[in-house]
Amino acid sequence: QARWPTNLAQACSMLLADGVVQEHKVALQRRYEEHRDKVNVSSWSLLLVESLSDLQQKEHDLMQVEATRGAQKSPLRELSLTALLEPLTRVSLSPRVSLTVGVAGVGKTTWVRHFIKLWRLGTVCPDISFVLPFSFCELNSLEKLSAEKLLKLAFPHLTDPSLVLSRHCKALLILDGLDQFRYTLNFSEVAPCDDPKKEVSVEELITNIIRGNLLPHVAVWVTSRPGVASLIPGGLVDRVTEIPGFSQKDIQLFLNHFFSENDYGSKIWAHLEAHKTLMVLCYIPAICWIVADTLMFIIQSGSPQNLPRTCTELYAQFCLMKAEVGEPRGREPVKSELLHVSNRKLLGSLGRLAFYSLIRHKYTFSEQDLRAYGIDPVLLQCSLGTGVLVMEVSILNTVYRFTHLSLQEFFSATFYHVCSKRAIFDLFSESTMTWPKIGFQNHFKNAFQHSQQAANGHYDVFVRFLTGLLNPLALKPLSALLTLGYNDGSQKAWAAGFLHSSLSSGGPEVSLRSINLVYCLHELQHMELLRGVEEDLRLGTLMGKLSRAHCVVLGYLLHVSPECSEQTNLTNCLTYSTIKCLLPQLLYCSHLRLENNQFKDDVMELLGSLLSAKDCHIRKISLAENSISSKGAKSLSRALLVNRTLKSLNLRSNNIGSKGTRLLAEALKMNQTLVSVNLQNNGIEVEGARALAEALKTNQTLKKLILCSNHLGDKGTIALAEALTINHTLLVLQLQSNSISNKGMTALTEALRLNRGLESLNLRENSIGVAGAKAIAQALYENCTLQDLDLTANLLHDEGVQAIAGAIKFNQGLTSLQMRCGQAFKKQLTMSLPLFFSLRGNTVGIEGAKALANALKINRSLQFLNLQENSLGMDGAIFIATALKGNHQLSYINLQGNGVGESGAKVISDAIRSNAPGCVVDI
């Protein structure tokens, strides 16, 4: 017994030496060689995340994608497959249990197959001897077994499972598709089992493996849809990664790659751009293929005018396409009577299977399940069955599933649509008697009642399709496949009224269930209310119009419109009640503008909870020109302690004062995501400046701080200057209109001698005189980091300008010397010029012009010179013109308001024509 570990280690070494590992790799290659995945994930990365969000845990997969438009919150980092099971740092350990989540159709199984391929080739995890992949679909057919028996059943070529599972052989167990497991994993009540030879139920076996009671030395990788993945306790998972869906760029690349013939890709892309709800579907790769394949089929058939506008129309066309499999593309469609004979019964049976399986949360089926609903598996190899149900064969069993969950939901809706016209009892109760429900309208209401009561959005997409089937354009492709009575349009009109009345009811907040009602209206193509809100949002005329129904529609627009969500401008149109109503949907905006709404502190508590939420996706928020006080700042500061997404905070023109600033400063000491903070015109004063200075000494992420018009004075400026000697990560500091004199300026320039991070310093409209100018000149001899210095409207005079000009001869960091120019040209230049140096309104005269001219003869970095509103006169213009003869770098000069006269203008013009023909001059 004492020698057993040594003997086992030797046995493992012999096992590896005998080529068992190579035989295992060959077996895996044979198992997966027939799979040809449509999406290549080789260049993609997984997203390492902290945990699952509430949206992921509670909502339908498609609603998750729609709410976020496929965008992810900022992940902790991106991981390639090569790093999936590796330590993140030199001192950390490899994860034992890794969890990878992704919505249905995003490619979880594709990632697993790709990983196995890379492992076989030795590209990833070369230290792992055995990769043991299982799908939960396979495990569904098992009842009671041991770990060793499971391994022997799945991999019969591994003749001694005990050696493979020993701690001397490094192994990875892959469990793919937890959401398809028919058993419930009960981690709190499972009986512990640590014997790999002991037979237990399959759910106990898997639970003990994940918990670490069984095979604790074996690494485990689980993949799942997010909602089911949340059933695994977070404490058991060492690493959570997420598979990102397509971005719009990915969709375009996908179309151009697979549908490049006859420019189909660009035609499909143009249609998706015009119909945002279809574009959102394509964030999921599996649906993107369905959408693109269907649209190409319609275009090839010579009916581009019939391209679908809604999801229901799309899936109806998809079914028609599958019913025509075997017919050459481009020819006339199969006759209706032929479709009726071969496919009507199959469609009904598939619909019944889909509906009652959807109720039970069942997404994979055995052959026995199919036969129970009257489906002959042989029929699935032809006609409508082709591409609707897919068969997956493994050593353990054979299972069937719909190509995508949304297709199961569509077939469910077609079954319900037909049966509800003649059913007497509740269709949601297959085997029990219920109170009679007679007539289509009662059944339609009943379906929506189940949808609205479902906590996890389980029936959201089902009722969308059910509503869409009342649209004649959606029903037309299915006319030969469904038993349909006469449709006079009355049911469509009734459904529109029912949905509109439902919009106005509900709780105080707009939930995703409510927004799904607008999706249903879109499927019905009843768009009046939607178009009205969209137009008001575009024109900025929403004020006074935000009823609850309007708020629900606005929430819908935040889902489907990238323009609306990326720049959500709700300026001057919100009240406490409307923002409370919209709050759950504002989570998913990227840039939220809530300016000039006169928000009080009670609203700030709501916004604080918004920014504190785990699901918050907001990166920029502007609360300028409201009535936010220190109490509101307190709510914001609490949120900033936990928020991990916000990059930019604009509080311009509020009333947070020094007390509110101190609270925000405390948060800045801890916050690691904010990059830009605008506190202009908030009465910060000296105490607030000192608090911010203390925060800057520890904060390493803030890049831009705007403190204009805050009465900082010299004392506040000195405190900030002291912080700049320590902080080298702040890039932009704006101190315009703060009563800063030479004393404060001297402190700043002393800091600039040590600081090597600050690139832009705005000191416009202060009281900086000659002494301050001389101080900044001395700093410019030493500091070459500063690129943007604005001294507009100070008291520099000629003597101060002469000092700065002397420094410019040696400083090659400055590229722009300006006062003020036309806004359009200024914007164009400042995009390419990193320095903004202004001397506007500083009474620069002839001597100052002479000094600047001498500096320009030497300096070769300035491209932007603006001496507007000074006193250069004609003589000063001559000095500048002389400098231009040796300087060809300047691209813009502004001498407006300097009294240069016609003679001065001519001298400047002549110099420009002969020496700098590309330069623009304003005189």
Side-chain angles (χ1 to χ4, degrees):
Q1 291 294 328
R3 294 187 321 195
W4 168 246
T6 302
N7 292 338
L8 186 59
Q10 290 174 349
C12 285
S13 298
M14 292 174 61
L15 185 71
L16 302 181
D18 287 341
V20 177
V21 172
Q22 189 58 38
E23 182 184 357
H24 181 61
K25 289 183 176 181
V26 172
L28 290 183
Q29 181 179 4
R30 286 196 300 267
R31 180 179 296 189
Y32 293 109
E33 64 184 353
E34 64 184 41
H35 294 285
R36 295 290 182 268
D37 294 306
K38 297 183 177 74
V39 179
N40 182 10
V41 300
S42 58
S43 61
W44 287 15
S45 295
L46 293 166
L47 305 179
L48 180 67
V49 296
E50 270 186 304
S51 59
L52 300 180
S53 67
D54 291 339
L55 179 72
Q56 290 175 302
Q57 295 180 55
K58 297 178 181 178
E59 296 300 336
H60 189 287
D61 292 36
L62 193 54
M63 191 67 87
Q64 293 176 36
V65 175
E66 290 165 340
T68 62
R69 294 154 309 282
Q72 309 294 325
K73 289 199 305 179
S74 300
L76 298 177
R77 61 187 286 188
E78 294 185 0
L79 286 183
S80 63
L81 270 180
T82 57
L84 175 65
L85 302 174
E86 299 297 323
L88 295 179
T89 65
R90 292 181 179 180
V91 296
S92 60
L93 299 175
S94 300
R96 181 185 170 270
V97 177
S98 297
L99 172 65
T100 296
V101 299
V103 296
V106 80
K108 297 181 290 295
T109 301
T110 300
W111 277 83
V112 168
R113 290 171 185 159
H114 188 62
F115 177 88
I116 294 170
K117 176 183 176 182
L118 294 180
W119 174 75
R120 285 193 294 101
L121 298 174
T123 305
V124 301
C125 302
D127 58 327
I128 291 180
S129 301
F130 293 96
V131 171
L132 308 169
F134 293 89
S135 72
F136 280 97
C137 289
E138 296 177 284
L139 300 176
N140 284 338
S141 62
L142 305 175
E143 293 185 1
K144 195 171 184 179
L145 75 170
S146 67
E148 289 190 2
K149 185 177 180 181
L150 173 63
L151 195 63
K152 199 167 184 177
L153 285 172
F155 307 103
H157 57 276
L158 299 177
T159 55
D160 194 345
S162 63
L163 292 180
V164 175
L165 296 177
S166 74
R167 62 181 64 251
H168 296 280
C169 291
K170 193 169 183 180
L172 168 66
L173 183 67
I174 300 177
L175 301 172
D176 183 31
L178 175 60
D179 49 281
Q180 296 177 351
F181 199 32
R182 69 185 178 101
Y183 300 103
T184 301
L185 300 181
N186 192 334
F187 288 91
S188 60
E189 298 180 6
V190 64
C193 173
D194 59 4
D195 183 359
K197 297 181 182 294
K198 181 179 179 181
E199 292 195 358
V200 294
S201 65
V202 65
E203 63 266 35
E204 288 181 292
L205 181 71
I206 299 302
T207 304
N208 273 288
I209 289 174
I210 295 175
R211 183 172 279 284
N213 299 328
L214 189 61
L215 308 178
H217 53 280
V218 173
V220 181
W221 180 22
V222 182
T223 73
S224 177
R225 288 168 56 198
V228 178
S230 63
L231 299 178
I232 302 178
L236 300 180
V237 179
D238 302 304
R239 182 171 298 174
V240 182
T241 52
E242 185 173 349
I243 298 176
F246 277 163
S247 64
Q248 288 202 15
K249 182 180 179 181
D250 294 326
I251 296 171
Q252 200 164 13
L253 290 172
F254 174 83
L255 295 176
N256 291 337
H257 179 72
F258 286 101
F259 302 91
S260 57
E261 183 183 355
N262 294 329
D263 203 28
Y264 289 130
S266 61
K267 293 175 183 176
I268 293 170
W269 174 256
H271 186 72
L272 294 178
E273 281 197 307
H275 297 84
K276 301 299 185 184
T277 53
L278 298 182
M279 177 73 84
V280 172
L281 285 179
C282 292
Y283 291 142
I284 302 174
I287 301 185
C288 187
W289 182 269
I290 293 174
V291 172
D293 205 27
T294 306
L295 293 180
M296 188 177 76
F297 174 82
I298 298 171
I299 295 171
Q300 284 180 326
S301 300
S303 306
Q305 70 278 5
N306 294 328
L307 288 175
R309 301 164 297 170
T310 70
C311 299
T312 312
E313 291 177 32
L314 175 83
Y315 277 72
Q317 291 282 4
F318 175 79
C319 287
L320 178 64
M321 177 181 72
K322 291 303 176 183
E324 294 186 18
V325 167
E327 290 295 314
R329 294 278 179 97
R331 291 176 52 178
E332 292 185 4
V334 179
K335 293 182 179 180
S336 297
E337 57 269 20
L338 296 179
L339 288 176
H340 166 78
V341 171
S342 60
N343 292 307
R344 180 174 292 180
K345 182 179 178 181
L346 181 58
L347 177 62
S349 298
L350 285 171
R352 187 178 183 87
L353 169 72
F355 177 69
Y356 287 112
S357 298
L358 185 68
I359 291 174
R360 301 187 189 99
H361 298 263
K362 184 175 181 179
Y363 308 109
T364 60
F365 320 104
S366 65
E367 187 172 311
Q368 183 179 358
D369 293 329
L370 298 185
R371 294 190 183 281
Y373 283 92
I375 301 171
D376 185 349
V378 176
L379 292 178
L380 300 178
Q381 307 306 313
C382 61
S383 199
L384 179 63
T386 306
V388 172
L389 278 185
V390 293
M391 179 175 66
E392 295 181 351
V393 181
S394 72
I395 292 177
L396 297 179
N397 64 355
T398 297
V399 297
Y400 300 83
R401 61 176 176 80
F402 284 90
T403 306
H404 188 263
L405 170 61
S406 58
L407 196 59
Q408 180 174 347
E409 291 163 321
F410 176 77
F411 273 81
S412 301
T414 61
F415 167 79
Y416 196 91
H417 176 81
V418 172
C419 291
S420 61
K421 295 182 178 180
R422 61 175 183 270
I424 298 176
F425 298 104
D426 184 1
L427 289 166
F428 285 86
S429 303
E430 183 181 20
S431 58
T432 58
M433 296 295 287
T434 61
W435 190 260
K437 293 183 181 297
I438 301 173
F440 171 79
Q441 292 182 6
N442 280 324
H443 285 287
F444 188 86
K445 289 179 181 179
N446 187 44
F448 270 87
Q449 184 177 2
H450 278 83
S451 171
Q452 294 294 302
Q453 291 174 350
N456 59 357
H458 183 56
Y459 297 114
D460 282 355
V461 178
F462 162 74
V463 294
R464 287 188 207 176
F465 286 134
L466 183 61
T467 308
L469 289 171
L470 296 176
N471 180 1
L473 288 177
L475 271 182
K476 186 176 180 181
L478 298 174
S479 57
L481 297 171
L482 294 175
T483 305
L484 301 171
Y486 173 68
N487 182 5
D488 60 0
S490 60
Q491 298 289 20
K492 177 182 177 181
W494 171 84
F498 169 76
L499 292 170
H500 273 289
S501 63
S502 300
L503 283 179
S504 300
S505 60
E509 295 182 345
V510 174
S511 66
L512 291 177
R513 302 290 79 71
S514 298
I515 288 177
N516 197 55
L517 297 172
V518 188
Y519 277 102
C520 293
L521 281 171
H522 179 267
E523 292 298 315
L524 207 58
Q525 285 294 280
H526 203 277
M527 310 283 284
E528 289 80 0
L529 180 60
L530 195 154
R531 291 195 183 103
V533 174
E534 194 169 23
E535 183 71 5
D536 283 330
L537 187 63
R538 185 180 66 82
L539 297 175
T541 55
L542 273 173
M543 185 171 65
K545 298 181 181 179
L546 284 177
S547 64
R548 189 181 192 282
H550 284 79
C551 286
V552 176
V553 173
L554 184 56
Y556 165 83
L557 289 174
L558 293 177
H559 284 210
V560 302
S561 171
E563 297 80 11
C564 181
S565 63
E566 290 169 11
Q567 180 67 267
T568 309
N569 188 356
L570 299 177
T571 295
N572 196 30
C573 66
L574 294 182
T575 62
Y576 176 85
S577 59
T578 54
I579 199 168
K580 185 175 182 179
C581 188
L582 277 169
L583 202 64
Q585 307 315 317
L586 296 179
L587 281 169
Y588 309 109
C589 303
S590 296
H591 182 182
L592 185 57
R593 289 181 59 189
L594 303 174
E595 300 172 0
N596 195 25
N597 282 292
Q598 299 306 307
F599 285 157
K600 304 295 183 182
D601 294 325
D602 54 353
V603 175
M604 296 313 300
E605 289 185 18
L606 292 177
L607 293 176
S609 66
L610 175 71
L611 294 172
S612 302
K614 187 189 298 185
D615 283 341
C616 182
H617 282 62
I618 300 171
R619 287 174 170 79
K620 295 182 179 181
I621 187 167
S622 179
L623 297 164
E625 300 179 27
N626 284 291
S627 303
I628 302 169
S629 71
S630 60
K631 186 176 179 181
K634 183 177 182 179
S635 300
L636 278 176
S637 65
R638 284 198 300 260
L640 294 178
L641 292 174
V642 297
N643 181 279
R644 294 293 180 268
T645 60
L646 193 65
K647 301 292 184 184
S648 175
L649 173 63
N650 183 357
L651 289 171
R652 174 176 52 84
S653 299
N654 280 284
N655 305 306
I656 67 171
S658 58
K659 182 179 178 181
T661 305
R662 286 197 300 272
L663 294 168
L664 291 174
E666 287 301 313
L668 285 176
K669 292 179 181 180
M670 304 292 293
N671 183 281
Q672 298 297 313
T673 56
L674 267 175
V675 174
S676 174
V677 175
N678 186 345
L679 298 176
Q680 178 178 341
N681 190 26
N682 267 281
I684 288 173
E685 300 181 334
V686 177
E687 291 305 313
R690 286 173 175 164
L692 288 170
E694 288 301 311
L696 288 175
K697 291 177 182 179
T698 57
N699 183 289
Q700 299 295 309
T701 54
L702 194 65
K703 305 298 182 187
K704 184 176 184 178
L705 180 60
I706 302 176
L707 300 175
C708 305
S709 306
N710 271 298
H711 313 292
L712 304 186
D714 287 334
K715 290 182 179 179
T717 306
I718 291 170
L720 291 169
E722 181 185 348
L724 290 177
T725 63
I726 299 172
N727 182 303
H728 299 277
T729 55
L730 189 70
L731 302 180
V732 178
L733 179 61
Q734 296 191 14
L735 299 175
Q736 177 179 340
S737 302
N738 272 296
S739 304
I740 302 170
S741 70
N742 290 335
K743 187 176 180 180
M745 185 64 179
T746 301
L748 282 172
T749 52
E750 287 298 323
L752 288 176
R753 289 180 172 182
L754 300 173
N755 183 283
R756 291 297 179 267
L758 197 67
E759 296 178 355
S760 177
L761 179 60
N762 179 352
L763 293 166
R764 296 166 62 102
E765 300 171 14
N766 282 292
S767 303
I768 301 167
V770 174
K774 290 181 178 180
I776 189 64
Q778 288 300 314
L780 291 176
Y781 280 104
E782 302 177 35
N783 182 303
C784 291
T785 307
L786 192 67
Q787 300 174 11
D788 179 342
L789 177 61
D790 189 348
L791 293 170
T792 293
N794 278 280
L795 307 169
L796 306 187
H797 302 291
D798 281 346
E799 189 176 353
V801 173
Q802 285 173 323
I804 293 174
I808 290 174
K809 292 180 182 180
F810 300 95
N811 182 297
Q812 297 299 315
L814 305 183
T815 59
S816 170
L817 176 60
Q818 77 97 34
M819 298 184 196
R820 190 176 183 180
C821 59
Q823 290 301 312
F825 191 76
K826 176 180 175 181
K827 181 178 180 181
Q828 175 186 347
L829 286 176
T830 53
M831 288 174 65
S832 59
L833 304 179
L835 174 76
F836 177 92
F837 183 28
S838 173
L839 296 174
R840 174 178 181 263
N842 276 284
T843 61
V844 180
I846 295 174
E847 294 303 319
K850 183 177 179 181
L852 283 171
N854 289 333
L856 291 174
K857 291 176 182 178
I858 300 173
N859 183 284
R860 290 295 180 268
S861 61
L862 281 175
Q863 301 176 39
F864 184 65
L865 175 62
N866 190 332
L867 297 172
Q868 183 182 358
E869 298 174 16
N870 281 287
S871 306
L872 303 187
M874 185 184 72
D875 292 338
I878 292 172
F879 285 127
I880 297 298
T882 304
L884 290 176
K885 294 179 180 179
N887 187 312
H888 304 288
Q889 306 302 314
L890 285 168
S891 58
Y892 178 77
I893 302 174
N894 191 334
L895 299 175
Q896 292 179 350
N898 273 279
V900 300
E902 291 186 12
S903 300
K906 186 176 185 305
V907 170
I908 292 288
S909 299
D910 291 343
I912 291 297
R913 278 196 298 269
S914 60
N915 295 288
C919 185
V920 177
V921 183
D922 280 340
I923 300 178

